[in-house]
Amino acid sequence: MSETDSKTADAAIFESLLTPQLGAAYGMALRLSGNTADAEDLVQEAALLAFRGFKTFELGTNFKAWFFRILTNAYFGKRRREKRRPTSVDLEDVPERYLFERTAEAGLHERSNDPASHLVSEMDVEQVTAAIDALPEEYRVVSMLYFLEDLSYQDIAEVLDIPVGTVRSRLHRGRRMLQKALWHIAEEAGIISKLKNEDAAS
Amino acid sequence: MTAPSRYSCQEVVEKLDEYVDRALTSGEIASVEEHLQRCAECACEYRFESNLISEIRAKLRRIDLPPDLMSRISQMIREECDKEGE
């Protein structure tokens, strides 16, 4: 087989592996970059980098984790050139059960048998994304992989090239931070008041 | 078969994330489940955390893939192959 034929065969295999992951990759890129144009650029850049490095991929291993690692590295490369906007929410030392306690104090547990879903269903996608975006970078990316891709701790560790224990602790802390950010955004948007009034009216 | 060890509420709260994610050992799962069966408050919190994660996931995953993105990538890869063949 000539070198060109071999490259064409590699391209066919690469595309057959990438196609089922493209929706997930684009979703991740969109949530990371925040807009469709940057997300498309990021996925295309990652696809080209991945194809160029495809000979390092071992067929039969986890293509999704391998590709997402390239995607997140490409994102980090771009991100280093930009400044993160500071969040207005203090996310230090958020206690356990944060959202459970806040929703209970607001009386949302008394009239809804599923207050968590009730609260988040009242928020739009931009508000939920903004809550994740408020997290410090190392917590934000782990949370994105967790919430968007349903990856195991082991897969997230592989994507980010960090120990599984670090994934575990960042996710644990990141979830508490996310709960506080969600509550803060819902309060500012008047969603909590609305839910309280709805409850009172029902 | 040994009975699961009895966890306190604090121990369950600390392990709840990993229980939701099915990332505990079978022994730990048995101990958490034993606690959830006898503690209504922790069972309520477990449902809360689990539903919260499902709802956030459902909300974030509603994304439309640009219809021509894969064809643009395919074109890029063809050009890459052509470049290397030159």
Side-chain angles (χ1 to χ4, degrees):
Chain A
M1 192 189 277
S2 72
E3 197 179 323
T4 309
D5 288 344
S6 156
K7 207 71 197 169
T8 306
D10 279 354
I13 297 167
F14 177 78
E15 287 185 33
S16 73
L17 291 169
L18 179 63
T19 302
Q21 306 303 338
L22 200 62
Y26 177 72
M28 180 72 188
L30 184 58
R31 297 302 178 223
L32 283 171
S33 63
N35 68 75
T36 55
D38 285 348
E40 289 178 34
D41 285 351
L42 182 58
V43 172
Q44 290 183 87
E45 182 186 339
L48 189 58
L49 289 170
F51 181 62
R52 284 177 182 160
F54 192 47
K55 54 185 162 299
T56 66
F57 175 71
E58 208 175 304
L59 281 175
T61 60
N62 189 340
F63 180 82
K64 183 175 182 175
W66 182 78
F67 183 72
F68 270 63
R69 185 172 183 172
I70 293 168
L71 181 79
T72 49
N73 282 341
Y75 164 73
F76 286 133
K78 282 178 184 290
R79 195 71 177 177
R80 270 192 282 275
R81 298 189 288 272
E82 299 166 8
K83 283 208 165 154
R84 290 272 289 130
R85 57 186 178 281
T87 170
S88 58
V89 194
D90 177 10
L91 297 174
E92 284 299 311
D93 302 322
V94 183
E96 302 281 354
R97 303 157 53 102
Y98 182 86
L99 201 57
F100 184 80
E101 300 286 358
R102 295 291 81 69
T103 49
E105 283 165 13
L108 306 185
H109 290 223
E110 283 147 30
R111 293 174 185 85
S112 171
N113 58 9
D114 187 359
S117 302
H118 195 186
L119 171 63
V120 179
S121 67
E122 288 293 324
M123 300 177 77
D124 59 33
V125 178
E126 286 69 30
Q127 288 167 327
V128 175
T129 305
I132 295 189
D133 215 30
L135 270 53
E137 188 82 348
E138 66 268 35
Y139 297 97
R140 193 170 77 97
V141 176
V142 169
S143 300
M144 290 275 187
L145 289 165
Y146 174 76
F147 283 109
L148 276 167
E149 298 315 324
D150 212 356
L151 294 177
S152 68
Y153 294 179
Q154 182 62 51
D155 284 346
I156 295 174
E158 205 177 310
V159 169
L160 297 175
D161 198 18
I162 55 178
V164 174
T166 307
V167 171
R168 209 177 281 264
S169 60
R170 282 188 193 171
L171 260 183
H172 185 76
R173 193 152 171 233
R175 278 167 157 172
R176 306 283 88 75
M177 291 174 169
L178 178 61
Q179 291 191 1
K180 188 170 182 183
L182 282 169
W183 180 256
H184 179 85
I185 289 168
E187 250 188 340
E188 291 223 315
I191 291 168
I192 306 301
S193 306
K194 181 182 165 226
L195 290 176
K196 280 182 184 172
N197 291 335
E198 265 179 11
D199 285 346
S202 63
Chain B
M1 195 173 143
T2 54
S5 52
R6 287 173 75 85
Y7 281 158
S8 65
C9 290
Q10 182 58 35
E11 285 172 308
V12 168
V13 166
E14 283 166 9
K15 290 189 185 295
L16 214 48
D17 286 351
E18 290 167 71
Y19 177 69
V20 171
D21 297 339
R22 294 286 175 252
L24 294 176
T25 64
S26 56
E28 289 171 322
I29 289 171
S31 296
V32 171
E33 288 178 348
E34 185 277 329
H35 183 93
L36 294 182
Q37 278 171 9
R38 64 183 162 84
C39 178
E41 176 79 6
C42 287
C44 184
E45 194 186 344
Y46 161 65
R47 282 193 300 276
F48 185 92
E49 296 286 338
S50 181
N51 291 341
L52 179 66
I53 288 164
S54 302
E55 192 67 30
I56 292 171
R57 283 187 166 147
K59 185 77 76 175
L60 290 176
R61 284 179 182 170
R62 289 174 203 133
I63 293 170
D64 295 324
L65 182 66
D68 61 340
L69 185 58
M70 190 64 220
S71 59
R72 274 185 276 149
I73 290 171
S74 296
Q75 176 63 31
M76 219 167 53
I77 289 170
R78 271 195 301 278
E79 286 168 10
E80 183 74 9
C81 289
D82 292 346
K83 206 161 59 180
E84 289 190 14
E86 282 168 9

